[in-house]
Amino acid sequence: MQTPTNLPPTHLAQELRLPTNWLDYTILAIYFVVVLGIGFAARRSVKTSLDFFLSGRSLPAWVTGLAFVAANLGATEILGMAANGAQYGAYTVHWYWVGAIPAMVFLGLVMMPFYYGSKVRSVPEFLLLRFDKSAHLLSSVLFAFAAILIAGVNLYALAIVVEALLGWPEWVSIVVAGFFVLAYITVGGLSSAIYNEVLQFFVILAALIPLTLLGLKKVGGWDGLTDSLTQSHSADFVTAWGGTGIGNDNPLGANWLTIVLGLGFVLSFGYWTTNFAEVQRALSAKNLSAGRRTPLIAAFPKIFIVFVVMTPGLIAAALVPNIGTPDSDLTYNDAIPYLMEQLLPNGVLGIAVTGLLAAFMAGMAANISSFNTVFTSDIWAKYVVKGRDDAYYLRFGRLITAIGVLASIGTAFLASSFSNIMSYLQTLFSFFNVPMFVVFIIGLFWKRASMKSGFWGLLVGTTAAMVNYFVIYKQGVIDIPSDQGANFVSAIAGFVAGAVVMFAVTLFTAPKPEAELQGLVYGTRSPGMDEPPAAGDEAWYRKPALLGWGAIALAALCYVPFSF
């Protein structure tokens, strides 16, 4: 089933203009004041570059856990997953229960001891320790580039939404949002970003929950919604696995194998275990136990967030059956704004607009704060200006933050060729995160993997994913029904190509001396991994294994009503 994905979201439908009044704008103004207040309050704790880039590794697990999930819950996630709900239906649950939870648990249980115990400041720095400078530099450049692209998506999405909903010109939206993100990160560093993400998490839920409940009431509850979608789309549209047999047609344009391997393993593990915008939150935790628990705590709200981002998309698809097609003025990205315009009264409308803006800023701030860390620590300090005092790198970190915000404005309009923002993001993840993951996973579990194999695996994996998308899919060499289906295939291609090249290069190049691999390869330990637990960390409800396996069991249980 061909799904239209070539409708550029350069503007949302103009009929979505919201009837905002003084009450809505007052709520918005209060939020912005609180955001800046948090930034200035966090400034007092920023005295070193470690404070600025990693909050001095001092934050409790519940704070870093909520920040971990909020950093992912940007507006691109909200608009994009609602767009997925409108375009692909209940298949959207795969992005959460297969495409997030197992990888988040793997990060907490398996990878965080290596990240945190090695005392690295970033994900690329781990590659420097495990492989060599060439792998480190390439991964640093690729990550910095991807972070700016993704931050730009958030800015672009904010601009088109605010223009449609509030009537602000695009440039005003970009400047205002960019200023606030720049202000609170530059002033308070990562601590400011993280504490604001905790606030933003609750503001976003306060916006989405009323929208979901009022939408369900409008369509006659969940039964009325599924009946309507079954008639207008298909019975498979409201199931997780219907029509996913190999060779079958379904709205997603993917089968169970590409869902499990492409999304559930390669894309998911590539994103959650190597994306520094996420891992940075866990590295800022106060000890190893808190660092391990960070993604595990985040997994529990992540399981249920799908219901308040996917359901509005399903409701929009029921109310506007031709949404996203040439017969409608509404694109898939319009699902959330459309329901806001149709359903929310003033006051609640102000909370919803504030929630959207909070989501935009959370997503942008996560990428900008990780970008400034990687660019300063992994590129500037190691290859450009070496050996300066800590105060210099703290000043440079603030400067590159400003440059990063300006650069993200320049990359914002690259998203305009996608009607579904989530398709664009998944494309970027298949290009940049998946090849890094294959290098990590082989380097972590195969001691023999040579120093040079990391660079070549990363380079060839990235190239293979891009070739599959731009040549094989876009040029029609192989018929893949949708952008998302193509992303799954690109992810698999990038993973396989990177793995094959790593094995081949290892056969002809030297491994790293075993003495230098302690704490970097599975089965070895470093002094940082033997850190004693803090008081209270031995409590049964804080056991990482219990949290991790509990999250996986709960996610599997959630699949039951969507599988029959």
Side-chain angles (χ1 to χ4, degrees):
M1 177 177 176
Q2 183 67 37
T3 49
T5 54
N6 59 349
L7 307 174
T10 49
H11 299 280
L12 295 184
Q14 289 303 307
E15 61 265 26
L16 297 180
R17 188 66 48 83
L18 299 179
T20 48
N21 63 14
W22 65 270
L23 178 59
D24 303 310
Y25 281 105
T26 299
I27 293 170
L28 193 57
I30 292 172
Y31 170 73
F32 278 122
V33 169
V34 172
V35 163
L36 289 181
I38 291 174
F40 282 101
R43 181 183 178 87
R44 294 196 298 269
S45 64
V46 179
K47 296 181 173 60
T48 68
S49 62
L50 184 65
D51 296 332
F52 186 77
F53 295 124
L54 285 179
S55 302
R57 289 196 170 99
S58 63
L59 300 179
W62 74 269
V63 170
T64 55
L66 289 180
F68 189 97
V69 71
N72 175 253
L73 194 59
T76 47
E77 169 85 359
I78 293 172
L79 292 184
M81 284 303 174
N84 267 5
Q87 184 173 1
Y88 304 125
Y91 295 105
T92 304
V93 299
H94 294 309
W95 272 266
Y96 292 79
W97 303 335
V98 162
I101 302 306
M104 294 167 74
V105 171
F106 184 82
L107 172 64
L109 296 184
V110 178
M111 295 190 71
M112 279 312 302
F114 294 94
Y115 280 139
Y116 201 98
S118 63
K119 300 301 180 186
V120 296
R121 289 194 175 196
S122 70
V123 169
E125 188 178 353
F126 188 88
L127 288 184
L128 174 64
L129 299 180
R130 174 59 185 88
F131 294 102
D132 60 8
K133 285 187 175 181
S134 59
H136 172 251
L137 180 58
L138 178 59
S139 64
S140 300
V141 170
L142 289 176
F143 177 81
F145 182 62
I148 292 300
L149 286 174
I150 296 169
V153 179
N154 280 278
L155 264 185
Y156 177 77
L158 179 143
I160 61 174
V161 168
V162 171
E163 182 182 32
L165 300 187
L166 303 180
W168 299 2
E170 282 187 12
W171 70 269
V172 172
S173 307
I174 289 174
V175 169
V176 169
F179 167 78
F180 276 97
V181 171
L182 176 61
Y184 72 74
I185 294 182
T186 304
V187 169
L190 183 64
S191 293
S192 175
I194 285 178
Y195 280 113
N196 268 305
E197 283 161 3
V198 173
L199 169 66
Q200 287 158 346
F201 174 77
F202 292 105
V203 172
I204 292 166
L205 290 184
L208 292 177
I209 290 173
L211 190 68
T212 303
L213 294 177
L214 290 172
L216 284 173
K217 182 179 179 182
K218 176 87 170 178
V219 295
W222 183 257
D223 289 340
L225 175 63
T226 54
D227 290 345
S228 175
L229 291 174
T230 299
Q231 293 177 12
S232 61
H233 291 70
S234 69
D236 290 340
F237 199 78
V238 292
T239 68
W241 299 104
T244 60
I246 295 176
N248 291 352
D249 288 334
N250 61 69
L252 186 57
N255 58 56
W256 66 268
L257 185 62
T258 54
I259 291 171
V260 172
L261 292 182
L263 174 62
F265 176 59
V266 182
L267 270 173
S268 171
F269 279 68
Y271 175 81
W272 291 104
T273 65
T274 66
N275 181 20
F276 186 50
E278 298 294 336
V279 175
Q280 186 181 30
R281 273 77 194 140
L283 289 178
S284 67
K286 64 182 180 180
N287 56 33
L288 175 57
S289 174
R292 294 186 73 189
R293 282 183 281 125
T294 293
L296 305 178
I297 291 171
F300 287 91
K302 183 69 177 176
I303 290 171
F304 298 104
I305 283 171
V306 64
F307 294 114
V308 292
V309 291
M310 173 188 73
T311 306
L314 297 176
I315 295 167
L319 296 176
V320 187
N322 58 356
I323 188 172
T325 70
D327 297 326
S328 173
D329 293 332
L330 300 178
T331 71
Y332 298 115
N333 293 325
D334 291 330
I336 292 278
Y338 170 76
L339 294 185
M340 288 170 60
E341 188 267 340
Q342 290 287 314
L343 301 175
L344 299 184
N346 291 109
V348 179
L349 194 59
I351 295 174
V353 172
T354 302
L356 268 186
L357 294 185
F360 282 115
M361 292 199 294
M364 182 181 178
N367 284 281
I368 292 297
S369 61
S370 57
F371 163 80
N372 64 22
T373 302
V374 168
F375 196 94
T376 302
S377 301
D378 293 288
I379 297 176
W380 196 259
K382 282 189 169 62
Y383 300 102
V384 183
V385 178
K386 307 176 185 178
R388 296 291 294 271
D389 60 16
D390 189 72
Y392 168 82
Y393 295 114
L394 177 58
R395 291 193 302 271
F396 183 82
R398 288 192 162 113
L399 172 63
I400 201 64
T401 301
I403 294 173
V405 171
L406 294 175
S408 66
I409 293 173
T411 64
F413 293 93
L414 292 177
S416 63
S417 61
F418 286 80
S419 174
N420 183 332
I421 293 176
M422 189 52 61
S423 295
Y424 176 67
L425 285 180
Q426 295 290 323
T427 301
L428 295 180
F429 296 153
S430 69
F431 291 171
F432 299 112
N433 291 102
V434 168
M436 194 174 295
F437 170 63
V438 70
V439 171
F440 261 87
I441 204 69
I442 291 177
L444 186 64
F445 287 99
W446 190 31
K447 190 181 296 186
R448 175 66 178 81
S450 70
M451 291 186 289
K452 295 299 180 185
S453 68
F455 170 81
W456 288 106
L458 187 57
L459 180 64
V460 173
T462 302
T463 303
M466 291 182 174
V467 167
N468 178 79
Y469 189 84
F470 290 116
V471 178
I472 295 177
Y473 168 56
K474 284 296 187 181
Q475 302 304 315
V477 176
I478 295 177
D479 182 29
I480 303 175
S482 69
D483 285 344
Q484 289 288 18
N487 291 335
F488 298 164
V489 177
S490 295
I492 295 171
F495 184 90
V496 172
V500 169
V501 167
M502 286 189 71
F503 278 101
V505 171
T506 294
L507 297 177
F508 300 100
T509 54
K512 197 151 191 160
E514 192 165 329
E516 299 178 19
L517 294 177
Q518 296 305 304
L520 303 174
V521 178
Y522 198 77
T524 67
R525 299 191 68 80
S526 65
M529 297 169 72
D530 294 322
E531 175 186 300
D537 284 349
E538 289 296 316
W540 66 269
Y541 56 86
R542 292 185 176 180
K543 296 288 187 182
L546 176 65
L547 292 171
W549 288 108
I552 288 179
L554 187 57
L557 190 63
C558 286
Y559 260 118
V560 173
F562 289 92
S563 299
F564 302 100

